[in-house]
Amino acid sequence: RQAEASGSWPGLSKGREKVIDVSCPENTRVCGSFTVGAMPAHLEIPAGNQLFPELASCAFELERTLMPGRTPSSSIAINKHAQFLPHVDKGAGAGQGISLIVGLGNYSG
């Protein structure tokens, strides 16, 4: 919530623009998605690392808490109010394996 309230939430990347439905009536609030963590050498370091270092740290800590025996992710997507279109994750060349998806918030419907 602090990240959203900060006004620093990054815009969608070109890749994410292709897989998030921003025209959906349910997305009347601004939707967004950004990455934290490490990327392969040919890609830029995620802006989220510098913008929200505490959020990045907490996201990786949550992963370790929920799945202690799982090989840690190299990067994590942080999403808000995002409705994704059907797609296959490419893993940005980082050898994407099995995804772990966690939703936080108040849900209904």
Side-chain angles (χ1 to χ4, degrees), residues 2-102:
Q2 290 174 346
E4 183 177 4
S6 73
S8 297
W9 196 280
L12 292 175
S13 69
K14 296 290 183 197
R16 294 262 167 81
E17 284 179 347
K18 296 175 185 173
V19 296
I20 293 179
D21 181 359
V22 294
S23 66
C24 178
E26 293 178 276
N27 285 337
T28 54
R29 297 172 285 186
V30 176
C31 71
S33 179
F34 65 89
T35 301
V36 296
M39 299 299 278
H42 66 282
L43 296 173
E44 292 183 32
I45 295 171
N49 292 0
Q50 193 167 32
L51 289 170
F52 308 114
E54 185 177 2
L55 177 59
S57 177
C58 289
F60 285 101
E61 181 180 338
L62 178 61
E63 179 186 36
R64 287 189 303 274
T65 299
L66 293 175
M67 301 293 290
R70 181 179 192 267
T71 301
S73 298
S74 60
S75 61
I76 294 177
I78 308 288
N79 308 305
K80 72 170 185 176
H81 313 305
Q83 181 170 338
F84 283 81
L85 301 169
H87 69 283
V88 175
D89 286 337
K90 294 179 183 176
Q96 173 96 12
I98 298 173
S99 295
L100 171 65
I101 301 172
V102 177

